[in-house]
Structures are given as C-alpha cells and as structure tokens.
C-alpha cells in the first residue's frame, strides 16, 4: 500500500506516512519471530498489569503472567505500588501462584524464604549457613518499573522506555473527561486461543470488518468512512472516532423507522423513537441534550465530557497489544498476549469498567446484566468451548483460527490493504523497525 484511499478520513494533525512494507506470514507463524519479539519488543513497552481495586492495603498483590515472564505488583506501606519479577533469588522458584491475594510477606513455597512487601529478604532457613553471612536485609527481589494511571497499574522491563504518562500520550489528555479513576471493573474474562496475538491486533487496527463481522452494530454506530476519523501517532499508538447514536451511512437508515439498537438507545433517555421517523440521524443530538439535562438524576457525572464523548465511541489502540474502547458508561479493555512457547497461540483478555452509580445496582456487560461490583464476572476459558468472552468479542475471535490457518499457506504472499487499513500497515512497519531493525520489502 503506497497511497491513501481518499474516502478514508485521516486526521491532518495526526497522520504518519507508511512505506508499504510487505506484511509477511513469518511474523505470525515462526518461533524465530516470536524470539525476536521477546528480545526487542516486549521489554520496550509498558504492560497493563491490573487494577488498583485489587491493591487496597499494604501487602495486597497482583500477579500478571506474560509469556514466560511473571510479574508481581505489591501495595506498599506508603500507598505506592512496586513490581517484582515473580522469581525467588534462591533457586528461581515462582513465589506467587495466584492472580490476586494479600500477605504480610511473600513466601517461597520451596524452602520458605520470605520477603517484605518492598522486596527485601527477611527470613531464611539456617541463616548462618551462607558463606557471606546471613543474607537477610541484603538480598532483594528483582524490581521492575511500576506506575499507575486512572484505575490501572502498569509495569515495564526496560529503564530506557519513556515514563508511563509520557508513553500513554495522547490518551492521558483525550480520556481525562471520563474521570476513570474510580471506575469499577465488573467484567474480567480471558481465553486461550489458537492464533498469533497479532491477528486480533490487526483486527482492532481497522474497522473494515464491521459490516461483515458485526453487522448488528450498524444500527447505532455509524461505521461509514466519510464520518469516521482515523488518527495515527509517531509513538505507534492510533485512534478511531466513530459517531454513536447514529446508524451507518452505508445503508439508508434515515428515511424510515428508527432501527433496533438505536431505538432502544433513544428510549433509554426518554426519547420517543416514533417522533424521529424519517430523520433518525437527529437522535444523536436529542440524546446529547437528554444526557445534559437528566444525567445527574440518573446517577452519572457527565460534567467534564464533551458532547462528542457523551454519544460517540473512541477506539484507542496502544502499541503494540492494548486497546481501550471508550463510551461514557463503559470502558472496554481488549488485549492479546503471546503464548509462552507457541507462536500460533495467544491469550485474549477482555475487561469492562463502569462508572460508580448509586442508582444503578446492575450494569449491562458483554454477556448480560451483572452487579455493579468489582469482578462480578471473572473467568478464564478456552475459545471455542462455548464460554463467551462477550458477544462482539466472540465475533472478533471467530476469524482468528481460520486466518492463522490461511497464513500458513504457500499461497499467501503478503497483505493487500485498502486505505482505511493504513493503521494495520503502520502497526507492522513499527514492528519491523523494533523487532527486525529494518523494513521488509514492499509488496509488488
């Protein structure tokens, strides 16, 4: 791809030129690419490790397994959070085996070595049997960088990576109006999948698939290219603004009755959809007005949100593997992480956070209603076993295995992309620069 399709709207302020590197199949299927990612990519980015709601008191901890690594984030006495590699300095045994927990000391289950929350060794068996004397107070767990943003905890393996709040740009600014700090993670699910982690990343870097994979969204999200704005940033992140509370412009949903989805969205704010027959596009402005007038009575704080944020969908993709999809009543986290050893497998994670609302004891999650409390739905499964990771997410994952199979074909020569998939092209060129250290040959 060397030219931008003129019907795709790329922000003139936030656009990045692409070279047209061939998106090769080896990056999805070979152990060589996987090892290069482990060496050159994953240490060089910030990783979302968990939520602060799991770290309320000193000694509370979160474990995050990532590939072959495992990281433990621990609440400190001063209220800060520290992150450590989950390995005992004695002989390498993993210290923490559960995802969340609390303990005054981290204790190795092999020989009983104990560490304070700040990572300092405070107890060993037979302390006088060491050539250098008692190791307590001298030995510490191996520490990583750790920081927080909103309700989230992040960690990073490399000291040279930009500080978290700088690395997150521009989302610290763009998402400030949602006031995410006290939002509640209600939905926390994950699944083992039979495809490379980048397949779903490609999927979240484009909206080309919406009419075919998610046709039901078209009745209340306008996925038409003239109305969707794409942004790409030099740091590798990108974004997509999609008009919400308005049906797609790809079909005529304006001249007739208000379609399902948009109908219910209007009713939820006391708007009679029948009054908008033949002018369904006007519902968006009516919802903005209703939210401004009645939002507080419904238990929401919309005071710092723009009109656009009240009704539209902001799809933020953080390089390389994290997506945040924002609406005023829900924050979705969508992420794929590499399998520890198999390049043709990954782990998919799906979280949904909701603003606290005393007038709403239940919220609508991707699998139905659930209590508005921390991790009301939390589970891990294997994709294809019949356990949903969310209706729309199920649709996204449905193409993963067949695409992985197709990428193994001798007949695949590299991707052929339209202009609206420029973000996919940019993603892989950023990968080439970091993982390979050079571009790949442009597709002829």
């Amino acid at each position: 791809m060397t030219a931008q399709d003129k019907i795709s709207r790329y922000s003139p302020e936030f656009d990045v030129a692409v070279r047209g590197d061939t998106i090769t199949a080896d990056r999805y299927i070979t152990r060589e690419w996987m090892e290069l990612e482990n060496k050159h990519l994953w240490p060089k980015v910030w990783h979302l490790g968990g939520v602060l709601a799991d770290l309320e008191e000193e000694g509370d901890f979160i474990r995050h397994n990532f590939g072959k690594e495992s990281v433990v984030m621990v609440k400190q006495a001063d209220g800060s959070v520290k992150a450590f590699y989950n390995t005992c300095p004695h002989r390498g045994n993993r210290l923490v085996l559960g995802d969340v927990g609390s303990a005054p000391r981290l204790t190795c289950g092999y020989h009983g070595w104990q560490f304070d929350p700040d990572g300092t060794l405070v107890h060993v068996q037979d302390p006088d049997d060491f050539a250098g004397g008692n190791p307590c107070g001298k030995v510490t767990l191996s520490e990583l960088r750790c920081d927080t943003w909103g309700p989230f905890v992040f960690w990073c393996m490399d000291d040279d990576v930009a500080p978290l709040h700088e690395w997150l740009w521009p989302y610290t600014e763009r998402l400030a109006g949602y006031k995410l700090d006290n939002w509640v993670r209600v939905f926390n699910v994950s699944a083992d999948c039979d495809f490379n982690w980048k397949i779903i990343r490609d999927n979240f870097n484009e909206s080309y698939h919406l009419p075919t994979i998610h046709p039901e969204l078209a009745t209340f999200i306008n996925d038409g290219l003239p109305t969707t704005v794409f942004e790409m940033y030099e740091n590798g992140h990108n974004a997509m603004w999609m008009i919400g509370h308005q049906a797609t412009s790809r079909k005529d949903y304006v001249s007739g009755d208000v379609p399902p989805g948009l109908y219910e969205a209007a009713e939820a704010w006391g708007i009679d959809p029948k009054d908008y027959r033949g002018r369904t596009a006007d519902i968006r402005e009516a919802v903005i007005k209703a939210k401004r007038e009645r939002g507080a009575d419904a238990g929401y704080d919309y005071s710092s949100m723009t009109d656009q944020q009240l009704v539209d969908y902001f799809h933020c993709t953080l390089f390389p593997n994290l997506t945040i999809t924002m609406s005023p009543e829900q924050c979705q986290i969508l992420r794929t992480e590499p399998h520890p050893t198999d390049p043709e497998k990954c782990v998919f994670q799906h979280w949904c956070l909701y603003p606290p609302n005393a007038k709403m004891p239940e919220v609508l999650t991707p699998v139905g209603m659930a209590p508005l409390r921390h991790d009301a739905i939390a589970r891990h499964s294997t994709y294809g076993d019949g356990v949903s990771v969310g209706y729309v997410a199920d649709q996204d994952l449905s193409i993963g295995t067949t695409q992985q199979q197709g990428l193994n074909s001798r007949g695949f020569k590299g991707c052929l992309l339209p202009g609206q998939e420029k973000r996919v092209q940019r993603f892989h060129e950023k990968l080439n620069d970091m993982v390979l250290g050079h571009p790949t040959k442009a597709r002829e």
Side-chain angles (χ1 to χ4, degrees):
M1 185 184 72
T2 58
Q4 177 178 316
D5 190 327
K6 293 181 179 179
I7 65 171
S8 303
R9 291 182 61 202
Y10 285 87
S11 166
E13 184 180 2
F14 300 111
D15 194 6
V16 179
V18 295
R19 301 182 295 252
D21 295 10
T22 299
I23 301 175
T24 54
D26 58 340
R27 67 194 59 219
Y28 299 96
I29 64 179
T30 68
R31 295 187 184 277
E32 289 78 10
W33 246 91
M34 184 180 200
E35 289 306 315
L36 287 171
E37 289 174 348
N38 288 335
K39 183 178 181 180
H40 299 299
L41 174 66
W42 299 122
K44 303 294 184 180
V45 298
W46 282 91
H47 297 270
L48 174 57
V51 291
L52 286 168
D54 284 323
L55 300 173
E56 295 182 333
E57 305 290 339
E58 181 185 8
D60 290 354
F61 61 81
I62 307 167
R63 181 196 66 174
H64 180 198
N65 289 344
F66 183 93
K68 289 185 177 181
E69 283 294 357
S70 183
V71 173
V72 183
M73 292 142 279
V74 187
K75 185 68 171 285
Q76 304 297 301
D78 64 0
S80 65
V81 182
K82 288 190 174 184
F84 307 100
Y85 287 103
N86 187 17
T87 179
C88 182
H90 175 209
R91 282 167 53 191
N93 189 51
R94 284 196 173 175
L95 294 167
V96 173
L97 303 182
D99 290 332
V100 295
S102 183
R105 294 176 177 177
L106 299 179
T107 301
C108 180
Y110 193 1
H111 298 93
W113 285 32
Q114 297 180 3
F115 301 84
D116 271 350
D118 68 357
T120 303
L121 179 66
V122 293
H123 173 78
V124 296
Q125 295 184 69
D126 304 323
D128 298 327
D129 194 34
F130 292 81
N134 187 343
C136 293
K138 305 173 187 175
V139 173
T140 61
L141 298 176
S142 183
E143 189 172 353
L144 302 84
R145 296 170 68 190
C146 188
D147 204 348
T148 63
W149 170 65
F152 305 114
V153 185
F154 288 79
W155 55 268
C156 180
M157 293 183 262
D158 194 301
D159 290 339
D160 294 329
V161 176
L164 176 64
H165 286 244
E166 179 181 334
W167 183 83
L168 286 169
W169 186 91
Y171 303 125
T172 48
E173 302 170 12
R174 293 291 185 86
L175 303 184
Y178 295 100
K179 298 182 180 179
L180 283 169
D181 288 30
N182 61 350
W183 283 37
V184 182
R185 185 178 68 186
V186 174
F187 187 70
N188 174 15
V189 303
S190 57
D192 297 321
C193 302
D194 289 330
F195 46 81
N196 183 273
W197 69 272
K198 292 182 286 296
I199 284 180
I200 294 301
R201 299 325 308 168
D202 292 344
N203 184 76
F204 292 148
N205 276 319
E206 50 93 350
S207 59
Y208 195 40
H209 69 282
L210 263 63
T212 50
I213 303 298
H214 312 301
E216 73 286 346
L217 300 182
T219 60
F220 63 93
I221 299 178
N222 191 343
D223 62 354
L225 290 181
T227 59
T228 300
V229 177
F230 304 111
E231 296 184 343
M232 299 193 300
Y233 315 113
E234 290 290 345
N235 59 10
H237 306 334
N238 69 66
M240 175 176 68
W241 278 106
M242 302 192 82
I243 293 178
H245 294 78
Q246 185 180 100
T248 182
S249 55
R250 294 177 184 271
K251 297 181 180 180
D252 179 13
Y253 282 112
V254 175
S255 61
D257 292 330
V258 177
L262 186 57
Y263 193 103
E264 288 78 11
E267 281 192 320
W269 286 97
I271 299 165
D272 187 352
K274 297 183 181 65
D275 294 340
Y276 289 83
R277 190 182 191 285
R279 54 186 188 99
T280 65
D282 294 341
I283 287 179
R284 181 173 179 269
E285 289 300 322
V287 172
I288 292 173
K289 183 174 184 292
K291 285 189 173 185
R292 291 289 183 212
E293 293 175 350
R294 300 194 288 276
D297 291 338
Y300 292 109
D301 179 8
Y302 295 136
S303 60
S304 59
M305 295 184 196
T306 65
D307 285 356
Q308 188 178 33
Q309 288 173 331
L310 285 181
V311 289
D312 292 351
Y313 294 89
F314 190 25
H315 192 72
C316 318
T317 297
L318 285 73
F319 182 85
N321 69 320
L322 178 64
T323 293
I324 304 174
T325 297
M326 283 302 314
S327 64
E329 295 86 28
Q330 184 189 72
C331 170
Q332 287 194 71
I333 302 294
L334 300 148
R335 176 170 62 177
T336 47
E337 295 184 334
H339 185 274
T341 59
D342 190 339
E344 300 196 67
K345 296 180 183 294
C346 72
V347 179
F348 173 78
Q349 297 159 343
H350 189 188
W351 300 352
C352 289
L353 292 85
Y354 301 83
N357 188 329
K359 298 184 178 181
M360 187 169 291
E362 289 188 322
V363 291
L364 180 60
T365 77
V367 295
M369 299 300 293
L372 180 52
R373 60 175 172 79
H374 179 62
D375 286 359
I377 298 175
R379 61 185 181 228
H380 181 77
S381 60
T382 298
Y383 180 71
D385 63 3
V387 178
S388 177
V389 293
Y391 179 70
V392 175
D394 289 342
Q395 293 173 325
D396 287 316
L397 299 191
S398 70
I399 55 87
T401 301
T402 53
Q403 188 176 359
Q404 186 70 42
Q405 293 166 344
L407 287 164
N408 277 273
S409 171
R410 291 182 178 87
F412 178 73
K413 306 299 184 182
C415 297
L416 180 63
L417 307 180
Q420 62 189 283
E421 292 186 316
K422 187 179 177 183
R423 292 179 297 146
V424 177
Q425 184 72 29
R426 167 63 175 162
F427 168 73
H428 285 278
E429 293 183 359
K430 181 78 170 176
L431 280 179
N432 288 343
D433 293 342
M434 293 185 67
V435 176
L436 299 179
H438 60 78
T440 58
K441 181 180 178 181
R443 189 184 194 277
E444 296 180 355

